[in-house]
Amino acid sequence: MEYFRFPDHRARLEGWVIVLAIGAAAAAAIGAARLAVRSAVSLSPAEAMRPASPARFRPLLLERIGLRNRLPPAMSMVLRQLERRPLRALSTVLGIAAALAIVVVGMFWRDALDYMIAVQFDMAQRADVEVTLVEPAASRMRHEIAALPGALRVEAARSAAVRLVVGHRSYRTALQGIPERGELRRLLDADLRIVALPSEGLLMTQRLARRLGVRVGEKVVVELLEGDRAMRQVQVAGTVQDPIGMSAYMNVGALNRLLREGDSSNLASVSVDRARADAFFAALRGLPRVATAASKRSMLDNFRATMARNVLVFTGILTAFALVIALGVVYNSARIALAERAWELASLRVLGFTSMEVSGLLLWELAIELALALPVGCTLGYGLSWLVVQLTHSDLIEIPVIVSARTYAFAAVAVVAAGVASASIVRRRVERLDLVGVLKTRE
């Protein structure tokens, strides 16, 4: 079944995510190193040995718009420091946002696959068991299946292998004939609304229509790959949204007429009482014309178990990678700020400020940068997820860009935890600051 193509597609997705993450980190590191080296070598020796000029004072933006008296002195100092070095603050925000985006893009495909499973197997294919016959039989065969213990509802369908031809384009697929008012197999549009099955003509997935270059109202040549292998023209009555595969659909009666056969079917969709599922399968084995019986529940349980293991490994790798980036960015920014403002912080300690108050001048700066990075990182993560989907485009599977609130929350908590860890290290350095040594260094 095409459903089991998910793991291969997921491997391609993981590869692109890792390549993009490593490439972004390498580009940032090379760019930062090049900028630092260029700034150092461009200075003349006399200029390099000259003490740094005092920062130019100017009122804060909040102070210029009349909020001066509403800001506590400590917060004014923090905001003034951010305004004086906007490029450094911006680079810190972007670095933290990039780490958060990596976590988002590492987890979004789980949300996308959960969405696809919900649409395909809860809203569209609602049967518990799909029964395939050895060969087409009279549709009254469904009454035999309906008489089995545990069977609640049975709908017969017909599937035929065909090649759809439009001009020089062709595609081999399954033309599925389903009941007009069936409840176990529904066709949905892009807004997940039920599409009425026409009495004549065929419906095809939007990807298949794009592949063949055909529009609604035009005709396609249906080349039968079974029976008399005739070629007949059928009008395209509409398109449907199917996240998996590229199929075409018809009214089962219309397909029987197209095949020039009586009321026959080779598929049966069955809704089964879970409490009597074992009895149903035991009785189903006694029917000689049954080839296979696929349980949707077993298939999804196996897939989710496999996916859960992969999620733990893949998400763990990317989360660790992102935490290292966040730790490095936050700690590096705080360490530079501490080195630049050591004399100022030591002076405040001598004047009577507590270590907590002095540390707050640095930690509040980091907290503001971290708060600004969260919405930027979420937006960047969504955009990077969209880019990954475009890079892993496939005709058989259309992966939607679905990012749940759970994914955003996990990424934000992971990055905030990295920021808190970096801040705690910096705070310990502030508490251990050698006041006499720092003040003498200034002289």
Side-chain angles (χ1 to χ4, degrees), residues 107 110-111 114 403-412:
M107 295 186 63
R110 181 187 63 179
D111 300 328
D114 286 344
V403 184
S404 67
R406 176 186 58 185
T407 295
Y408 285 130
F410 178 84

Side-chain angles (χ1 to χ4, degrees), residues 208-334:
L208 181 56
R210 290 194 298 266
R211 174 79 174 261
L212 297 175
V214 65
R215 291 178 293 184
V216 176
E218 298 179 348
K219 291 187 177 182
V220 299
V221 176
V222 179
E223 179 183 348
L224 301 177
L225 301 180
E226 61 181 67
D228 59 2
R229 295 184 176 271
M231 299 178 65
R232 300 182 176 91
Q233 287 191 339
V234 181
Q235 187 179 35
V236 178
T239 59
V240 296
Q241 182 74 14
D242 234 351
I244 305 173
M246 293 198 297
S247 303
Y249 304 92
M250 292 186 69
N251 185 295
V252 64
L255 180 56
N256 288 149
R257 291 191 294 271
L258 184 69
L259 297 171
R260 295 182 179 177
E261 61 186 17
D263 184 16
S264 66
S265 60
N266 60 353
L267 298 174
S269 300
V270 188
S271 177
V272 179
D273 183 0
R274 290 187 177 183
R276 306 181 65 189
D278 293 339
F280 172 81
F281 283 107
L284 190 64
R285 296 189 188 97
L287 299 181
R289 284 180 285 187
V290 173
T292 62
S295 171
K296 180 178 71 174
R297 182 180 180 183
S298 298
M299 181 178 61
L300 291 181
D301 287 345
N302 293 334
F303 176 76
R304 286 194 172 102
T306 302
M307 189 178 71
R309 291 193 298 267
N310 293 333
V311 164
L312 291 177
V313 176
F314 182 55
T315 304
I317 293 174
L318 280 186
T319 302
F321 187 61
L323 290 180
V324 170
I325 294 177
L327 279 168
V329 170
V330 176
Y331 179 75
N332 184 62
S333 176

